């Protein structure tokens, strides 16, 4: 019954003091949310790769950078799923930036897709 904004932060700050509230907020913002979103988008790309195998196909890039003793030749190997994960994360960030009402509508839409897939299966 704490009528303040901040969710768990408000409870921890009121119950244990400001140090615990702030440390929770920092840990949640720096580690908790980004890792949760990364796990969701990685799982989404994993399932998408079964439908579209090109998502997991490796892409090789060679880059030459001038160094102190000559050109440094770097080789990067990634797949299209990595780029798609970044796009999904950016999309989630954009929806959250545009407002709570739009974010709620997107959540209701995605939840209805999940429920329909379970019902159809």
């Amino acid at each position: 019954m704490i009528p303040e904004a901040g969710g768990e932060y408000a409870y921890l700050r009121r119950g244990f003091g400001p140090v615990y509230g702030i440390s929770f907020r920092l840990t949640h913002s720096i580690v908790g949310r980004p890792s949760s979103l990364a796990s969701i988008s990685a799982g989404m790309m994993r399932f998408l790769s079964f439908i579209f195998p090109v998502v997991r196909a490796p892409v090789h890039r060679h880059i030459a950078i001038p160094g102190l003793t000559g050109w440094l030749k770097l080789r990067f190997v990634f797949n299209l799923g990595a780029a798609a994960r970044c796009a999904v994360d950016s999309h989630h960030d954009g929806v959250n930036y545009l407002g709570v009402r739009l974010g709620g509508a997107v959540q209701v839409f995605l939840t209805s897709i999940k429920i329909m897939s379970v019902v159809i299966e």
Side-chain angles (χ1 to χ4, degrees), residues 54-63 73-83 85:
V54 71
V55 171
R56 65 176 169 247
V59 177
H60 301 276
R61 293 285 178 239
H62 298 279
I63 298 174
K73 295 181 180 167
L74 304 173
R75 184 174 152 240
F76 294 101
V77 180
F78 61 96
N79 57 17
L80 294 178
R85 282 193 298 267

Side-chain angles (χ1 to χ4, degrees), residues 53-113:
V54 71
V55 171
R56 65 176 169 247
V59 177
H60 301 276
R61 293 285 178 239
H62 298 279
I63 298 174
I65 300 172
L68 296 175
T69 60
W71 288 86
L72 298 173
K73 295 181 180 167
L74 304 173
R75 184 174 152 240
F76 294 101
V77 180
F78 61 96
N79 57 17
L80 294 178
R85 282 193 298 267
C86 291
V88 167
D89 291 347
S90 298
H91 179 264
H92 282 102
D93 291 341
V95 168
N96 287 329
Y97 176 76
L98 291 176
V100 174
R101 191 175 304 261
L102 178 63
V106 169
Q107 285 181 349
V108 167
F109 175 70
L110 293 176
T111 303
S112 65
I113 290 174

Side-chain angles (χ1 to χ4, degrees), residues 7-95:
E8 297 97 343
Y9 164 74
Y11 290 103
L12 288 171
R13 185 177 48 84
R14 177 91 49 104
F16 298 109
V19 173
Y20 290 100
I22 291 171
S23 64
F24 167 78
R25 178 46 78 201
L26 286 174
T27 304
H28 187 67
S29 297
I30 295 171
V31 177
R33 271 189 203 255
S35 62
S36 173
L37 185 58
S39 299
I40 290 169
S41 61
M44 184 177 168
M45 289 307 120
R46 172 87 171 159
F47 287 113
L48 191 63
S49 70
F50 291 117
I51 299 170
F52 303 109
V54 71
V55 171
R56 65 176 169 247
V59 177
H60 301 276
R61 293 285 178 239
H62 298 279
I63 298 174
I65 300 172
L68 296 175
T69 60
W71 288 86
L72 298 173
K73 295 181 180 167
L74 304 173
R75 184 174 152 240
F76 294 101
V77 180
F78 61 96
N79 57 17
L80 294 178
R85 282 193 298 267
C86 291
V88 167
D89 291 347
S90 298
H91 179 264
H92 282 102
D93 291 341
V95 168

